[in-house]
Amino acid sequence: MKKKNLIITFLLFFVLLWMGTIFYLSSMNTNESNGKSKNIVGEIIEITSRVTHHHYSTDEKEKLVEEFNKPIRKIAHASVYFILAILILNFLLAINFKKERKYSLVLSITILICFLFAITDEYHQTFVEGRTGQFSDVLIDTSGAFLSSVIFILIDKKKKSRKSKRLVDSVNSQCL
């Protein structure tokens, strides 16, 4: 029982750590946040340039950074909540739902937590210089959480199905 409590504690720690990371990223003013994402987009363009052997001029690179910055930022929104949902799902399955595998309940709770956290995160951004809270970002965040939840549960069900099949095969082979 102590091992289970330790696992639950660690899972909760990672959920809270990831929420703290999201809060920290949301605390950056618009120049910091936009600057970091533009640097990341620039690095992606550099790597792509090396792989494809297509070298962009400085002007072309700056245009590409401007063009791809917003979509990459939105993907980042969905991605951090994709990860948050996986952490929450692991936590929920560890605390109580593992035996019964109430997937719809686990999915609903996970999506609700991510949705509510996304709302508070966007509200928090209204207090940060140059940032705004946008409901469209809440929807993007929640979409990332929903997608990871569905994928996680489908994988978990597939694992359970394989495990059951192995058990049945084992029993059948012993009966023969």
Side-chain angles (χ1 to χ4, degrees):
M1 191 66 166
K2 287 185 179 191
K3 183 180 177 184
K4 183 178 179 180
N5 288 340
L6 183 63
I7 290 170
I8 290 169
T9 302
F10 274 115
L11 290 171
L12 179 59
F13 170 76
F14 286 119
V15 168
L16 296 176
L17 180 67
W18 195 249
M19 286 177 156
T21 301
I22 293 170
F23 185 83
Y24 168 76
L25 293 171
S26 295
S27 298
M28 293 180 181
N29 69 40
T30 193
N31 293 332
E32 279 181 291
S33 177
N34 205 29
K36 283 189 185 299
S37 64
K38 283 183 176 182
N39 285 340
I40 291 168
V41 173
E43 288 298 317
I44 292 169
I45 291 168
E46 279 296 319
I47 291 167
T48 305
S49 174
R50 282 187 233 128
V51 170
T52 62
H53 304 292
H54 182 298
H55 299 286
Y56 299 101
S57 69
T58 304
D59 287 343
E60 288 175 317
K61 185 178 174 185
E62 286 176 14
K63 251 181 154 176
L64 287 170
V65 167
E66 286 301 320
E67 185 178 338
F68 287 106
N69 187 44
K70 187 172 182 177
I72 297 278
R73 287 176 69 87
K74 298 308 175 186
I75 291 168
H77 264 271
S79 298
V80 296
Y81 279 83
F82 186 99
I83 294 167
L84 178 61
I86 291 171
L87 294 170
I88 292 169
L89 281 163
N90 277 298
F91 173 73
L92 291 175
L93 289 172
I95 58 170
N96 196 21
F97 301 102
K98 196 151 190 128
K99 288 180 186 169
E100 298 167 16
R101 299 285 191 199
K102 294 182 179 180
Y103 291 111
S104 58
L105 180 61
V106 171
L107 181 71
S108 299
I109 292 170
T110 299
I111 301 304
L112 181 63
I113 291 170
C114 289
F115 176 72
L116 293 173
F117 189 71
I119 289 172
T120 61
D121 182 47
E122 289 301 314
Y123 179 68
H124 161 246
Q125 286 182 42
T126 64
F127 298 100
V128 178
E129 182 185 335
R131 302 285 295 266
T132 60
Q134 298 178 348
F135 191 71
S136 61
D137 284 346
V138 171
L139 296 177
I140 291 168
D141 298 339
T142 305
S143 296
F146 180 77
L147 179 63
S148 72
S149 298
V150 169
I151 291 169
F152 181 92
I153 286 172
L154 289 174
I155 290 169
D156 196 52
K157 278 186 170 183
K158 183 95 170 160
K159 283 183 193 175
K160 186 179 178 197
S161 171
R162 284 184 185 160
K163 196 175 187 179
S164 294
K165 186 178 182 324
R166 280 190 296 240
L167 182 62
V168 168
D169 290 345
S170 174
V171 168
N172 285 340
S173 68
Q174 288 175 3
C175 290
L176 297 174

